[in-house]
Amino acid sequence: MSEGTMQRRAQRDGQFNEREERDGRARRTGGLNRLLAAAVAVPVMLIAAGCSSDSGSDDGSKDGSKDAAAATGGSAGSAASATPTVQAAAYQKLPEACAVVSKKTLTELVPKGVTSGKEGTTGDTADRASCSWSSLANNGVKGSQFRWLNVSLLRFESDATTGDGESQAKTYYAKQVKDSQAVAGAKNAKSQPVAGAGDEATLVRYDLKKAEGAFKQQTVVARVENVVVTLDYNGAGLAGDKVPSADALSASAQKAVKDVVASVRSANGVDGGGSSAGSSAGSASPSPSKSASVSPGQGASLPPSATPKATASKAAAAAPKTTASAKS
């Protein structure tokens, strides 16, 4: 190879190497610049993102809190206004109707009918119950003494629509007293409060003339919490026997209603206040007969042919018609 040729090749190689070196520097410089630019841009983006995130989070949390508070407050207010509260009824059940009067008291009121308790028919003994007893004591040619006792109980349950049980019982109690004072044909009517018989009690007494004789009617209406007791007790001297003492009948009726009130309390786990009902009430009568029931507060007249020889079963309906004591 000639010297000139070698010189030209070396010259070309040198030029080529020089271009390669320039291109490499350019590439390195460009890459470095891009790296620096990217490095500068990252903090800016992070700061912007942070500001944006903080702002959104703060606003969101505030708005969310407000929305939650508004929603909670609104729903609580609506629930409170939509659900009225009613005081629960104090007594939840009634005692066995034919066991509410003690045997000792029954012997005094219906001496010949202690075991004649007839339970009234009802569809729900937890809310209403009744029992009646009758007695006919034959005194030979002097005639006979008739007695009839009926006890009815009515329990009121608390309800958001009708109100609390005690308020309902108060209303019904007042109605029962008023109805007892407005019996057609009643003579010498008197009313008086009865102490020691529940929260409130009233005795209504009057005379009622029937073809069979002169009846002395005693009606005691008592209220104990959300339960109303209506006790009807009457007596008559038949076929020439003497008319019973109204004062004596009234005293017996008041004694009996106190037994009933004590039984209501005892059935609901409340102290009966020392009444004689307690344990002795359980033996007041044998198992009552539901088929031979007497409607609460209602009786029928004795047949005109009743004589001292009449049996107690025939005289069971010998009572003047009194006020209805079942819930209408």
Side-chain angles (χ1 to χ4, degrees):
M1 181 180 298
S2 64
E3 182 179 351
T5 301
M6 294 176 62
Q7 186 176 0
R8 285 194 300 271
R9 177 177 293 180
Q11 187 177 9
R12 285 196 304 271
D13 292 341
Q15 292 175 350
F16 176 79
N17 292 336
E18 184 177 355
R19 284 198 302 271
E20 285 290 322
E21 185 177 354
R22 286 200 304 269
D23 291 341
R25 284 199 302 269
R27 284 195 298 271
R28 289 193 297 273
T29 302
L32 180 60
N33 290 337
R34 285 193 299 273
L35 181 61
L36 292 175
V40 172
V42 168
V44 174
M45 292 174 63
L46 291 175
I47 293 173
C51 293
S52 175
S53 175
D54 290 344
S55 175
S57 174
D58 183 60
D59 293 342
S61 62
K62 289 182 179 178
D63 292 343
S65 299
K66 291 179 180 178
D67 292 342
T72 303
S75 60
S78 300
S81 60
T83 309
T85 57
V86 179
Q87 183 177 358
Y91 295 152
Q92 296 299 314
K93 60 182 179 179
L94 297 176
E96 182 185 347
C98 290
V100 294
V101 182
S102 70
K103 185 175 181 179
K104 179 180 179 181
T105 303
L106 282 174
T107 302
E108 179 181 326
L109 271 68
V110 284
K112 297 296 182 178
V114 173
T115 61
S116 67
K118 306 298 182 183
E119 185 177 356
T121 55
T122 177
D124 186 0
T125 55
D127 291 336
R128 65 182 67 203
S130 66
C131 190
S132 64
W133 299 259
S134 62
S135 172
L136 186 64
N138 191 340
N139 296 320
V141 295
K142 294 182 179 180
S144 60
Q145 285 290 322
F146 173 75
R147 299 290 186 272
W148 183 76
L149 171 66
N150 185 85
V151 176
S152 66
L153 306 99
L154 191 59
R155 189 187 75 88
F156 292 86
E157 185 58 71
S158 295
D159 183 83
T161 302
T162 56
D164 64 273
E166 184 173 5
S167 296
Q168 295 179 66
K170 288 180 179 179
T171 300
Y172 183 72
Y173 165 83
K175 180 180 182 299
Q176 284 293 86
V177 172
K178 184 177 180 180
D179 290 348
S180 299
Q181 295 169 334
V183 174
K187 303 294 184 181
N188 304 319
K190 297 179 181 179
S191 299
Q192 66 185 68
V194 178
D199 297 303
E200 52 185 336
T202 301
L203 165 68
V204 180
R205 52 188 279 188
Y206 52 84
D207 300 336
L208 206 59
K209 184 69 176 179
K210 292 284 186 177
E212 300 82 10
F215 287 84
K216 299 290 184 179
Q217 172 69 30
Q218 321 293 318
T219 298
V220 185
V221 184
R223 181 186 66 82
V224 51
E225 297 289 355
N226 57 307
V227 175
V228 176
V229 175
T230 304
L231 184 145
D232 291 306
Y233 180 53
N234 59 58
L238 306 178
D241 205 344
K242 64 180 180 179
V243 177
S245 166
D247 290 339
L249 294 178
S250 294
S252 296
Q254 293 179 63
K255 181 178 181 180
V257 83
K258 292 176 182 178
D259 277 5
V260 179
V261 168
S263 294
V264 173
R265 287 173 169 161
S266 179
N268 289 273
V270 181
D271 182 11
S275 172
S276 59
S279 60
S280 59
S283 59
S285 65
S287 300
S289 171
K290 293 186 178 181
S291 59
S293 62
V294 178
S295 299
Q298 185 177 359
S301 300
L302 274 174
S305 59
T307 66
K309 294 182 180 180
T311 62
S313 59
K314 291 182 179 180
K321 205 166 188 178
T322 58
T323 58
S325 54
K327 185 177 181 182
S328 57

